[in-house]
Every structure is written in C-alpha cells, then in structure tokens.
PDB file of all heavy atoms in Angstrom:
ATOM      1  N   VAL A   1      -1.939  -2.186 -12.581  1.00 94.00           N
ATOM      2  CA  VAL A   1      -0.960  -1.537 -11.717  1.00 94.00           C
ATOM      3  C   VAL A   1       0.430  -1.992 -12.138  1.00 94.00           C
ATOM      4  O   VAL A   1       0.587  -3.017 -12.791  1.00 94.00           O
ATOM      5  CB  VAL A   1      -1.212  -1.867 -10.233  1.00 94.00           C
ATOM      6  CG1 VAL A   1      -2.598  -1.416  -9.809  1.00 94.00           C
ATOM      7  CG2 VAL A   1      -1.047  -3.363  -9.971  1.00 94.00           C
ATOM      8  N   ARG A   2       1.412  -1.224 -11.727  1.00 91.00           N
ATOM      9  CA  ARG A   2       2.793  -1.576 -12.064  1.00 91.00           C
ATOM     10  C   ARG A   2       3.550  -1.940 -10.807  1.00 91.00           C
ATOM     11  O   ARG A   2       3.518  -1.214  -9.805  1.00 91.00           O
ATOM     12  CB  ARG A   2       3.480  -0.422 -12.793  1.00 91.00           C
ATOM     13  CG  ARG A   2       4.788  -0.824 -13.463  1.00 91.00           C
ATOM     14  CD  ARG A   2       5.310   0.294 -14.347  1.00 91.00           C
ATOM     15  NE  ARG A   2       4.477   0.537 -15.509  1.00 91.00           N
ATOM     16  CZ  ARG A   2       4.530  -0.176 -16.625  1.00 91.00           C
ATOM     17  NH1 ARG A   2       5.371  -1.192 -16.727  1.00 91.00           N
ATOM     18  NH2 ARG A   2       3.751   0.134 -17.638  1.00 91.00           N
ATOM     19  N   ALA A   3       4.200  -3.110 -10.872  1.00 89.00           N
ATOM     20  CA  ALA A   3       5.082  -3.562  -9.798  1.00 89.00           C
ATOM     21  C   ALA A   3       6.461  -3.765 -10.411  1.00 89.00           C
ATOM     22  O   ALA A   3       6.666  -4.700 -11.186  1.00 89.00           O
ATOM     23  CB  ALA A   3       4.575  -4.862  -9.171  1.00 89.00           C
ATOM     24  N   GLY A   4       7.374  -2.867 -10.099  1.00 84.00           N
ATOM     25  CA  GLY A   4       8.638  -2.879 -10.810  1.00 84.00           C
ATOM     26  C   GLY A   4       8.377  -2.488 -12.252  1.00 84.00           C
ATOM     27  O   GLY A   4       7.717  -1.495 -12.536  1.00 84.00           O
ATOM     28  N   SER A   5       8.828  -3.311 -13.188  1.00 84.00           N
ATOM     29  CA  SER A   5       8.599  -3.028 -14.609  1.00 84.00           C
ATOM     30  C   SER A   5       7.417  -3.803 -15.169  1.00 84.00           C
ATOM     31  O   SER A   5       7.118  -3.706 -16.359  1.00 84.00           O
ATOM     32  CB  SER A   5       9.857  -3.379 -15.409  1.00 84.00           C
ATOM     33  OG  SER A   5      10.168  -4.762 -15.270  1.00 84.00           O
ATOM     34  N   GLU A   6       6.723  -4.576 -14.313  1.00 88.00           N
ATOM     35  CA  GLU A   6       5.652  -5.449 -14.783  1.00 88.00           C
ATOM     36  C   GLU A   6       4.274  -4.826 -14.576  1.00 88.00           C
ATOM     37  O   GLU A   6       4.008  -4.189 -13.546  1.00 88.00           O
ATOM     38  CB  GLU A   6       5.704  -6.799 -14.052  1.00 88.00           C
ATOM     39  CG  GLU A   6       7.004  -7.554 -14.234  1.00 88.00           C
ATOM     40  CD  GLU A   6       7.216  -8.034 -15.647  1.00 88.00           C
ATOM     41  OE1 GLU A   6       6.207  -8.237 -16.362  1.00 88.00           O
ATOM     42  OE2 GLU A   6       8.384  -8.204 -16.054  1.00 88.00           O
ATOM     43  N   LEU A   7       3.393  -5.026 -15.560  1.00 91.00           N
ATOM     44  CA  LEU A   7       1.995  -4.639 -15.435  1.00 91.00           C
ATOM     45  C   LEU A   7       1.203  -5.824 -14.888  1.00 91.00           C
ATOM     46  O   LEU A   7       1.262  -6.922 -15.438  1.00 91.00           O
ATOM     47  CB  LEU A   7       1.430  -4.220 -16.789  1.00 91.00           C
ATOM     48  CG  LEU A   7       1.599  -2.759 -17.218  1.00 91.00           C
ATOM     49  CD1 LEU A   7       1.005  -2.555 -18.606  1.00 91.00           C
ATOM     50  CD2 LEU A   7       0.956  -1.806 -16.216  1.00 91.00           C
ATOM     51  N   ILE A   8       0.459  -5.585 -13.823  1.00 93.00           N
ATOM     52  CA  ILE A   8      -0.325  -6.632 -13.169  1.00 93.00           C
ATOM     53  C   ILE A   8      -1.775  -6.161 -13.097  1.00 93.00           C
ATOM     54  O   ILE A   8      -2.048  -4.983 -12.869  1.00 93.00           O
ATOM     55  CB  ILE A   8       0.202  -6.924 -11.750  1.00 93.00           C
ATOM     56  CG1 ILE A   8       1.692  -7.272 -11.797  1.00 93.00           C
ATOM     57  CG2 ILE A   8      -0.594  -8.044 -11.085  1.00 93.00           C
ATOM     58  CD1 ILE A   8       2.010  -8.531 -12.566  1.00 93.00           C
ATOM     59  N   ALA A   9      -2.707  -7.085 -13.288  1.00 93.00           N
ATOM     60  CA  ALA A   9      -4.127  -6.759 -13.239  1.00 93.00           C
ATOM     61  C   ALA A   9      -4.725  -7.215 -11.908  1.00 93.00           C
ATOM     62  O   ALA A   9      -4.498  -8.337 -11.467  1.00 93.00           O
ATOM     63  CB  ALA A   9      -4.860  -7.425 -14.395  1.00 93.00           C
ATOM     64  N   LEU A  10      -5.502  -6.320 -11.279  1.00 93.00           N
ATOM     65  CA  LEU A  10      -6.205  -6.623 -10.035  1.00 93.00           C
ATOM     66  C   LEU A  10      -7.711  -6.527 -10.294  1.00 93.00           C
ATOM     67  O   LEU A  10      -8.167  -5.535 -10.863  1.00 93.00           O
ATOM     68  CB  LEU A  10      -5.823  -5.639  -8.926  1.00 93.00           C
ATOM     69  CG  LEU A  10      -4.338  -5.452  -8.613  1.00 93.00           C
ATOM     70  CD1 LEU A  10      -4.171  -4.384  -7.535  1.00 93.00           C
ATOM     71  CD2 LEU A  10      -3.715  -6.764  -8.167  1.00 93.00           C
ATOM     72  N   PRO A  11      -8.505  -7.523  -9.898  1.00 89.00           N
ATOM     73  CA  PRO A  11      -9.958  -7.427 -10.070  1.00 89.00           C
ATOM     74  C   PRO A  11     -10.520  -6.251  -9.278  1.00 89.00           C
ATOM     75  O   PRO A  11     -10.271  -6.117  -8.073  1.00 89.00           O
ATOM     76  CB  PRO A  11     -10.468  -8.759  -9.520  1.00 89.00           C
ATOM     77  CG  PRO A  11      -9.284  -9.679  -9.573  1.00 89.00           C
ATOM     78  CD  PRO A  11      -8.096  -8.822  -9.331  1.00 89.00           C
ATOM     79  N   VAL A  12     -11.287  -5.404  -9.936  1.00 88.00           N
ATOM     80  CA  VAL A  12     -11.837  -4.221  -9.273  1.00 88.00           C
ATOM     81  C   VAL A  12     -12.754  -4.620  -8.121  1.00 88.00           C
ATOM     82  O   VAL A  12     -12.833  -3.937  -7.096  1.00 88.00           O
ATOM     83  CB  VAL A  12     -12.585  -3.348 -10.301  1.00 88.00           C
ATOM     84  CG1 VAL A  12     -13.401  -2.263  -9.612  1.00 88.00           C
ATOM     85  CG2 VAL A  12     -11.593  -2.717 -11.269  1.00 88.00           C
ATOM     86  N   ALA A  13     -13.459  -5.748  -8.263  1.00 82.00           N
ATOM     87  CA  ALA A  13     -14.411  -6.166  -7.236  1.00 82.00           C
ATOM     88  C   ALA A  13     -13.737  -6.429  -5.893  1.00 82.00           C
ATOM     89  O   ALA A  13     -14.392  -6.377  -4.847  1.00 82.00           O
ATOM     90  CB  ALA A  13     -15.150  -7.422  -7.701  1.00 82.00           C
ATOM     91  N   ALA A  14     -12.428  -6.718  -5.893  1.00 85.00           N
ATOM     92  CA  ALA A  14     -11.719  -7.013  -4.652  1.00 85.00           C
ATOM     93  C   ALA A  14     -11.162  -5.756  -3.979  1.00 85.00           C
ATOM     94  O   ALA A  14     -10.662  -5.830  -2.859  1.00 85.00           O
ATOM     95  CB  ALA A  14     -10.580  -7.999  -4.919  1.00 85.00           C
ATOM     96  N   LEU A  15     -11.243  -4.615  -4.662  1.00 89.00           N
ATOM     97  CA  LEU A  15     -10.618  -3.398  -4.160  1.00 89.00           C
ATOM     98  C   LEU A  15     -11.633  -2.522  -3.420  1.00 89.00           C
ATOM     99  O   LEU A  15     -12.811  -2.489  -3.763  1.00 89.00           O
ATOM    100  CB  LEU A  15     -10.001  -2.598  -5.304  1.00 89.00           C
ATOM    101  CG  LEU A  15      -9.094  -3.369  -6.274  1.00 89.00           C
ATOM    102  CD1 LEU A  15      -8.476  -2.419  -7.283  1.00 89.00           C
ATOM    103  CD2 LEU A  15      -8.034  -4.157  -5.535  1.00 89.00           C
ATOM    104  N   GLN A  16     -11.134  -1.822  -2.407  1.00 88.00           N
ATOM    105  CA  GLN A  16     -11.979  -0.914  -1.647  1.00 88.00           C
ATOM    106  C   GLN A  16     -11.639   0.546  -1.923  1.00 88.00           C
ATOM    107  O   GLN A  16     -12.519   1.380  -2.085  1.00 88.00           O
ATOM    108  CB  GLN A  16     -11.826  -1.212  -0.152  1.00 88.00           C
ATOM    109  CG  GLN A  16     -12.814  -0.477   0.735  1.00 88.00           C
ATOM    110  CD  GLN A  16     -12.720  -0.964   2.179  1.00 88.00           C
ATOM    111  OE1 GLN A  16     -11.653  -0.868   2.795  1.00 88.00           O
ATOM    112  NE2 GLN A  16     -13.809  -1.500   2.697  1.00 88.00           N
ATOM    113  N   ARG A  17     -10.335   0.831  -1.992  1.00 91.00           N
ATOM    114  CA  ARG A  17      -9.915   2.219  -2.214  1.00 91.00           C
ATOM    115  C   ARG A  17      -8.476   2.248  -2.694  1.00 91.00           C
ATOM    116  O   ARG A  17      -7.666   1.395  -2.333  1.00 91.00           O
ATOM    117  CB  ARG A  17     -10.055   3.031  -0.925  1.00 91.00           C
ATOM    118  CG  ARG A  17      -9.705   4.499  -1.089  1.00 91.00           C
ATOM    119  CD  ARG A  17     -10.186   5.352   0.081  1.00 91.00           C
ATOM    120  NE  ARG A  17      -9.590   4.965   1.352  1.00 91.00           N
ATOM    121  CZ  ARG A  17      -9.593   5.743   2.434  1.00 91.00           C
ATOM    122  NH1 ARG A  17     -10.160   6.939   2.389  1.00 91.00           N
ATOM    123  NH2 ARG A  17      -9.046   5.332   3.562  1.00 91.00           N
ATOM    124  N   LEU A  18      -8.163   3.236  -3.509  1.00 93.00           N
ATOM    125  CA  LEU A  18      -6.790   3.494  -3.953  1.00 93.00           C
ATOM    126  C   LEU A  18      -6.335   4.817  -3.358  1.00 93.00           C
ATOM    127  O   LEU A  18      -7.070   5.810  -3.388  1.00 93.00           O
ATOM    128  CB  LEU A  18      -6.708   3.567  -5.479  1.00 93.00           C
ATOM    129  CG  LEU A  18      -7.038   2.283  -6.249  1.00 93.00           C
ATOM    130  CD1 LEU A  18      -7.069   2.564  -7.741  1.00 93.00           C
ATOM    131  CD2 LEU A  18      -6.020   1.200  -5.934  1.00 93.00           C
ATOM    132  N   ARG A  19      -5.132   4.818  -2.803  1.00 92.00           N
ATOM    133  CA  ARG A  19      -4.601   6.025  -2.175  1.00 92.00           C
ATOM    134  C   ARG A  19      -3.145   6.219  -2.596  1.00 92.00           C
ATOM    135  O   ARG A  19      -2.445   5.274  -2.935  1.00 92.00           O
ATOM    136  CB  ARG A  19      -4.668   5.926  -0.652  1.00 92.00           C
ATOM    137  CG  ARG A  19      -6.062   5.662  -0.128  1.00 92.00           C
ATOM    138  CD  ARG A  19      -6.093   5.406   1.357  1.00 92.00           C
ATOM    139  NE  ARG A  19      -5.693   6.561   2.149  1.00 92.00           N
ATOM    140  CZ  ARG A  19      -5.796   6.611   3.477  1.00 92.00           C
ATOM    141  NH1 ARG A  19      -6.267   5.558   4.154  1.00 92.00           N
ATOM    142  NH2 ARG A  19      -5.432   7.690   4.132  1.00 92.00           N
ATOM    143  N   ALA A  20      -2.722   7.465  -2.543  1.00 93.00           N
ATOM    144  CA  ALA A  20      -1.313   7.781  -2.794  1.00 93.00           C
ATOM    145  C   ALA A  20      -0.618   7.972  -1.457  1.00 93.00           C
ATOM    146  O   ALA A  20      -1.094   8.724  -0.596  1.00 93.00           O
ATOM    147  CB  ALA A  20      -1.191   9.040  -3.640  1.00 93.00           C
ATOM    148  N   ALA A  21       0.482   7.260  -1.261  1.00 90.00           N
ATOM    149  CA  ALA A  21       1.255   7.387  -0.016  1.00 90.00           C
ATOM    150  C   ALA A  21       2.359   8.417  -0.217  1.00 90.00           C
ATOM    151  O   ALA A  21       3.119   8.349  -1.182  1.00 90.00           O
ATOM    152  CB  ALA A  21       1.846   6.042   0.386  1.00 90.00           C
ATOM    153  N   THR A  22       2.422   9.347   0.681  1.00 84.00           N
ATOM    154  CA  THR A  22       3.476  10.357   0.616  1.00 84.00           C
ATOM    155  C   THR A  22       4.736   9.832   1.289  1.00 84.00           C
ATOM    156  O   THR A  22       4.713   8.824   1.999  1.00 84.00           O
ATOM    157  CB  THR A  22       3.021  11.638   1.320  1.00 84.00           C
ATOM    158  OG1 THR A  22       2.697  11.339   2.682  1.00 84.00           O
ATOM    159  CG2 THR A  22       1.803  12.219   0.618  1.00 84.00           C
ATOM    160  N   ALA A  23       5.835  10.505   1.048  1.00 75.00           N
ATOM    161  CA  ALA A  23       7.098  10.117   1.675  1.00 75.00           C
ATOM    162  C   ALA A  23       6.937  10.142   3.188  1.00 75.00           C
ATOM    163  O   ALA A  23       6.432  11.097   3.770  1.00 75.00           O
ATOM    164  CB  ALA A  23       8.212  11.062   1.244  1.00 75.00           C
ATOM    165  N   GLY A  24       7.340   9.071   3.824  1.00 84.00           N
ATOM    166  CA  GLY A  24       7.238   8.972   5.275  1.00 84.00           C
ATOM    167  C   GLY A  24       6.069   8.132   5.747  1.00 84.00           C
ATOM    168  O   GLY A  24       6.057   7.675   6.893  1.00 84.00           O
ATOM    169  N   GLN A  25       5.071   7.913   4.881  1.00 88.00           N
ATOM    170  CA  GLN A  25       3.946   7.083   5.294  1.00 88.00           C
ATOM    171  C   GLN A  25       4.263   5.593   5.225  1.00 88.00           C
ATOM    172  O   GLN A  25       3.624   4.790   5.897  1.00 88.00           O
ATOM    173  CB  GLN A  25       2.706   7.383   4.424  1.00 88.00           C
ATOM    174  CG  GLN A  25       2.006   8.687   4.790  1.00 88.00           C
ATOM    175  CD  GLN A  25       0.681   8.817   4.083  1.00 88.00           C
ATOM    176  OE1 GLN A  25       0.634   8.900   2.851  1.00 88.00           O
ATOM    177  NE2 GLN A  25      -0.395   8.839   4.847  1.00 88.00           N
ATOM    178  N   ILE A  26       5.223   5.228   4.386  1.00 88.00           N
ATOM    179  CA  ILE A  26       5.646   3.834   4.310  1.00 88.00           C
ATOM    180  C   ILE A  26       6.875   3.666   5.189  1.00 88.00           C
ATOM    181  O   ILE A  26       7.913   4.297   4.965  1.00 88.00           O
ATOM    182  CB  ILE A  26       5.962   3.418   2.866  1.00 88.00           C
ATOM    183  CG1 ILE A  26       4.758   3.669   1.964  1.00 88.00           C
ATOM    184  CG2 ILE A  26       6.363   1.946   2.817  1.00 88.00           C
ATOM    185  CD1 ILE A  26       3.508   2.940   2.370  1.00 88.00           C
ATOM    186  N   GLN A  27       6.759   2.826   6.194  1.00 88.00           N
ATOM    187  CA  GLN A  27       7.843   2.592   7.133  1.00 88.00           C
ATOM    188  C   GLN A  27       8.110   1.103   7.259  1.00 88.00           C
ATOM    189  O   GLN A  27       7.338   0.275   6.772  1.00 88.00           O
ATOM    190  CB  GLN A  27       7.496   3.200   8.498  1.00 88.00           C
ATOM    191  CG  GLN A  27       7.231   4.706   8.461  1.00 88.00           C
ATOM    192  CD  GLN A  27       6.898   5.288   9.813  1.00 88.00           C
ATOM    193  OE1 GLN A  27       7.023   4.622  10.839  1.00 88.00           O
ATOM    194  NE2 GLN A  27       6.447   6.547   9.826  1.00 88.00           N
ATOM    195  N   SER A  28       9.219   0.787   7.920  1.00 86.00           N
ATOM    196  CA  SER A  28       9.609  -0.609   8.096  1.00 86.00           C
ATOM    197  C   SER A  28       9.965  -0.852   9.551  1.00 86.00           C
ATOM    198  O   SER A  28      10.711  -0.068  10.156  1.00 86.00           O
ATOM    199  CB  SER A  28      10.810  -0.956   7.198  1.00 86.00           C
ATOM    200  OG  SER A  28      11.214  -2.291   7.395  1.00 86.00           O
ATOM    201  N   ALA A  29       9.398  -1.922  10.100  1.00 80.00           N
ATOM    202  CA  ALA A  29       9.694  -2.304  11.484  1.00 80.00           C
ATOM    203  C   ALA A  29       9.858  -3.811  11.546  1.00 80.00           C
ATOM    204  O   ALA A  29       8.952  -4.560  11.175  1.00 80.00           O
ATOM    205  CB  ALA A  29       8.573  -1.842  12.416  1.00 80.00           C
ATOM    206  N   ASP A  30      11.043  -4.245  11.970  1.00 78.00           N
ATOM    207  CA  ASP A  30      11.347  -5.681  12.063  1.00 78.00           C
ATOM    208  C   ASP A  30      11.135  -6.391  10.725  1.00 78.00           C
ATOM    209  O   ASP A  30      10.661  -7.532  10.669  1.00 78.00           O
ATOM    210  CB  ASP A  30      10.488  -6.346  13.143  1.00 78.00           C
ATOM    211  CG  ASP A  30      10.733  -5.758  14.536  1.00 78.00           C
ATOM    212  OD1 ASP A  30      11.890  -5.398  14.807  1.00 78.00           O
ATOM    213  OD2 ASP A  30       9.776  -5.665  15.318  1.00 78.00           O
ATOM    214  N   GLY A  31      11.495  -5.708   9.662  1.00 77.00           N
ATOM    215  CA  GLY A  31      11.393  -6.318   8.335  1.00 77.00           C
ATOM    216  C   GLY A  31      10.004  -6.291   7.735  1.00 77.00           C
ATOM    217  O   GLY A  31       9.800  -6.764   6.612  1.00 77.00           O
ATOM    218  N   GLN A  32       9.015  -5.734   8.446  1.00 86.00           N
ATOM    219  CA  GLN A  32       7.642  -5.666   7.954  1.00 86.00           C
ATOM    220  C   GLN A  32       7.281  -4.240   7.586  1.00 86.00           C
ATOM    221  O   GLN A  32       7.435  -3.318   8.392  1.00 86.00           O
ATOM    222  CB  GLN A  32       6.675  -6.185   9.022  1.00 86.00           C
ATOM    223  CG  GLN A  32       5.206  -5.995   8.680  1.00 86.00           C
ATOM    224  CD  GLN A  32       4.756  -6.825   7.483  1.00 86.00           C
ATOM    225  OE1 GLN A  32       4.841  -8.055   7.510  1.00 86.00           O
ATOM    226  NE2 GLN A  32       4.293  -6.159   6.433  1.00 86.00           N
ATOM    227  N   LEU A  33       6.810  -4.050   6.362  1.00 88.00           N
ATOM    228  CA  LEU A  33       6.389  -2.731   5.925  1.00 88.00           C
ATOM    229  C   LEU A  33       5.072  -2.349   6.589  1.00 88.00           C
ATOM    230  O   LEU A  33       4.208  -3.200   6.853  1.00 88.00           O
ATOM    231  CB  LEU A  33       6.212  -2.699   4.410  1.00 88.00           C
ATOM    232  CG  LEU A  33       7.484  -2.835   3.553  1.00 88.00           C
ATOM    233  CD1 LEU A  33       7.121  -2.971   2.085  1.00 88.00           C
ATOM    234  CD2 LEU A  33       8.402  -1.634   3.772  1.00 88.00           C
ATOM    235  N   THR A  34       4.908  -1.061   6.846  1.00 89.00           N
ATOM    236  CA  THR A  34       3.659  -0.556   7.398  1.00 89.00           C
ATOM    237  C   THR A  34       3.252   0.708   6.667  1.00 89.00           C
ATOM    238  O   THR A  34       4.094   1.426   6.105  1.00 89.00           O
ATOM    239  CB  THR A  34       3.787  -0.247   8.904  1.00 89.00           C
ATOM    240  OG1 THR A  34       4.852   0.701   9.105  1.00 89.00           O
ATOM    241  CG2 THR A  34       4.062  -1.513   9.692  1.00 89.00           C
ATOM    242  N   PHE A  35       1.960   0.983   6.684  1.00 90.00           N
ATOM    243  CA  PHE A  35       1.390   2.182   6.094  1.00 90.00           C
ATOM    244  C   PHE A  35       0.812   3.006   7.239  1.00 90.00           C
ATOM    245  O   PHE A  35      -0.130   2.584   7.918  1.00 90.00           O
ATOM    246  CB  PHE A  35       0.304   1.799   5.092  1.00 90.00           C
ATOM    247  CG  PHE A  35      -0.443   2.957   4.510  1.00 90.00           C
ATOM    248  CD1 PHE A  35       0.229   4.055   3.982  1.00 90.00           C
ATOM    249  CD2 PHE A  35      -1.832   2.956   4.484  1.00 90.00           C
ATOM    250  CE1 PHE A  35      -0.470   5.132   3.434  1.00 90.00           C
ATOM    251  CE2 PHE A  35      -2.537   4.024   3.941  1.00 90.00           C
ATOM    252  CZ  PHE A  35      -1.849   5.114   3.419  1.00 90.00           C
ATOM    253  N   VAL A  36       1.391   4.175   7.468  1.00 89.00           N
ATOM    254  CA  VAL A  36       1.051   4.994   8.629  1.00 89.00           C
ATOM    255  C   VAL A  36       0.203   6.189   8.184  1.00 89.00           C
ATOM    256  O   VAL A  36       0.595   6.961   7.308  1.00 89.00           O
ATOM    257  CB  VAL A  36       2.324   5.491   9.344  1.00 89.00           C
ATOM    258  CG1 VAL A  36       1.956   6.331  10.557  1.00 89.00           C
ATOM    259  CG2 VAL A  36       3.209   4.310   9.741  1.00 89.00           C
ATOM    260  N   THR A  37      -0.980   6.325   8.802  1.00 88.00           N
ATOM    261  CA  THR A  37      -1.855   7.460   8.538  1.00 88.00           C
ATOM    262  C   THR A  37      -2.382   7.991   9.866  1.00 88.00           C
ATOM    263  O   THR A  37      -2.109   7.435  10.931  1.00 88.00           O
ATOM    264  CB  THR A  37      -3.056   7.045   7.651  1.00 88.00           C
ATOM    265  OG1 THR A  37      -3.910   6.183   8.404  1.00 88.00           O
ATOM    266  CG2 THR A  37      -2.592   6.337   6.397  1.00 88.00           C
ATOM    267  N   ASP A  38      -3.157   9.042   9.802  1.00 85.00           N
ATOM    268  CA  ASP A  38      -3.790   9.579  11.006  1.00 85.00           C
ATOM    269  C   ASP A  38      -4.786   8.586  11.602  1.00 85.00           C
ATOM    270  O   ASP A  38      -5.129   8.671  12.783  1.00 85.00           O
ATOM    271  CB  ASP A  38      -4.516  10.892  10.679  1.00 85.00           C
ATOM    272  CG  ASP A  38      -3.543  11.997  10.263  1.00 85.00           C
ATOM    273  OD1 ASP A  38      -2.360  11.893  10.626  1.00 85.00           O
ATOM    274  OD2 ASP A  38      -3.984  12.942   9.571  1.00 85.00           O
ATOM    275  N   GLU A  39      -5.245   7.638  10.785  1.00 86.00           N
ATOM    276  CA  GLU A  39      -6.211   6.643  11.255  1.00 86.00           C
ATOM    277  C   GLU A  39      -5.536   5.491  11.980  1.00 86.00           C
ATOM    278  O   GLU A  39      -6.216   4.674  12.612  1.00 86.00           O
ATOM    279  CB  GLU A  39      -7.009   6.106  10.061  1.00 86.00           C
ATOM    280  CG  GLU A  39      -7.735   7.209   9.284  1.00 86.00           C
ATOM    281  CD  GLU A  39      -8.194   6.739   7.916  1.00 86.00           C
ATOM    282  OE1 GLU A  39      -7.947   5.552   7.583  1.00 86.00           O
ATOM    283  OE2 GLU A  39      -8.789   7.546   7.178  1.00 86.00           O
ATOM    284  N   GLY A  40      -4.205   5.397  11.852  1.00 88.00           N
ATOM    285  CA  GLY A  40      -3.482   4.307  12.501  1.00 88.00           C
ATOM    286  C   GLY A  40      -2.444   3.705  11.587  1.00 88.00           C
ATOM    287  O   GLY A  40      -2.189   4.202  10.480  1.00 88.00           O
ATOM    288  N   THR A  41      -1.834   2.635  12.056  1.00 90.00           N
ATOM    289  CA  THR A  41      -0.776   1.942  11.310  1.00 90.00           C
ATOM    290  C   THR A  41      -1.292   0.590  10.835  1.00 90.00           C
ATOM    291  O   THR A  41      -1.848  -0.178  11.621  1.00 90.00           O
ATOM    292  CB  THR A  41       0.470   1.741  12.184  1.00 90.00           C
ATOM    293  OG1 THR A  41       0.958   3.031  12.602  1.00 90.00           O
ATOM    294  CG2 THR A  41       1.565   1.020  11.422  1.00 90.00           C
ATOM    295  N   ARG A  42      -1.098   0.323   9.557  1.00 91.00           N
ATOM    296  CA  ARG A  42      -1.591  -0.924   8.974  1.00 91.00           C
ATOM    297  C   ARG A  42      -0.449  -1.693   8.333  1.00 91.00           C
ATOM    298  O   ARG A  42       0.480  -1.095   7.753  1.00 91.00           O
ATOM    299  CB  ARG A  42      -2.670  -0.626   7.926  1.00 91.00           C
ATOM    300  CG  ARG A  42      -3.848   0.152   8.479  1.00 91.00           C
ATOM    301  CD  ARG A  42      -4.839   0.542   7.393  1.00 91.00           C
ATOM    302  NE  ARG A  42      -5.440  -0.619   6.757  1.00 91.00           N
ATOM    303  CZ  ARG A  42      -6.369  -0.517   5.787  1.00 91.00           C
ATOM    304  NH1 ARG A  42      -6.754   0.683   5.362  1.00 91.00           N
ATOM    305  NH2 ARG A  42      -6.881  -1.600   5.255  1.00 91.00           N
ATOM    306  N   PRO A  43      -0.463  -3.023   8.408  1.00 90.00           N
ATOM    307  CA  PRO A  43       0.561  -3.816   7.714  1.00 90.00           C
ATOM    308  C   PRO A  43       0.485  -3.554   6.215  1.00 90.00           C
ATOM    309  O   PRO A  43      -0.593  -3.314   5.662  1.00 90.00           O
ATOM    310  CB  PRO A  43       0.172  -5.257   8.044  1.00 90.00           C
ATOM    311  CG  PRO A  43      -0.718  -5.170   9.242  1.00 90.00           C
ATOM    312  CD  PRO A  43      -1.427  -3.858   9.143  1.00 90.00           C
ATOM    313  N   ALA A  44       1.632  -3.606   5.562  1.00 91.00           N
ATOM    314  CA  ALA A  44       1.694  -3.355   4.124  1.00 91.00           C
ATOM    315  C   ALA A  44       2.554  -4.419   3.450  1.00 91.00           C
ATOM    316  O   ALA A  44       3.530  -4.909   4.028  1.00 91.00           O
ATOM    317  CB  ALA A  44       2.244  -1.962   3.845  1.00 91.00           C
ATOM    318  N   VAL A  45       2.180  -4.755   2.233  1.00 91.00           N
ATOM    319  CA  VAL A  45       2.909  -5.763   1.453  1.00 91.00           C
ATOM    320  C   VAL A  45       3.146  -5.190   0.059  1.00 91.00           C
ATOM    321  O   VAL A  45       2.214  -4.659  -0.573  1.00 91.00           O
ATOM    322  CB  VAL A  45       2.109  -7.078   1.360  1.00 91.00           C
ATOM    323  CG1 VAL A  45       2.794  -8.042   0.400  1.00 91.00           C
ATOM    324  CG2 VAL A  45       1.952  -7.709   2.733  1.00 91.00           C
ATOM    325  N   TYR A  46       4.382  -5.283  -0.416  1.00 92.00           N
ATOM    326  CA  TYR A  46       4.712  -4.799  -1.755  1.00 92.00           C
ATOM    327  C   TYR A  46       4.439  -5.905  -2.768  1.00 92.00           C
ATOM    328  O   TYR A  46       4.958  -7.017  -2.664  1.00 92.00           O
ATOM    329  CB  TYR A  46       6.176  -4.372  -1.813  1.00 92.00           C
ATOM    330  CG  TYR A  46       6.634  -3.907  -3.181  1.00 92.00           C
ATOM    331  CD1 TYR A  46       5.886  -3.007  -3.926  1.00 92.00           C
ATOM    332  CD2 TYR A  46       7.837  -4.369  -3.721  1.00 92.00           C
ATOM    333  CE1 TYR A  46       6.304  -2.577  -5.171  1.00 92.00           C
ATOM    334  CE2 TYR A  46       8.274  -3.933  -4.963  1.00 92.00           C
ATOM    335  CZ  TYR A  46       7.499  -3.043  -5.688  1.00 92.00           C
ATOM    336  OH  TYR A  46       7.913  -2.620  -6.930  1.00 92.00           O
TER     337      TYR A  46
END
C-alpha cells in the first residue's frame, strides 16, 4: 500500500477486507478521523 510517497507492506493474514472510501465517508470529529458507512461509524487511522 502507499502512504504518502512511501510503499508499505501489510501482512495479508492480518487483513479482513479492502474497501474504497468515497468523498464524504472520511470525516473528522475532535481531531479523530472516522469512516462513515450505512453500517455505522468506525474510528479511522491514517
């Protein structure tokens, strides 16, 4: 995966699913990022 200009490797065994976030699904509240979907709001970390 790419974070900024850097390529980083994530072990596949630790992953559950990859999704594309559309504009508006990533929000910020009190300095904490969140991922908002129809299933609910989840904390997010960049």
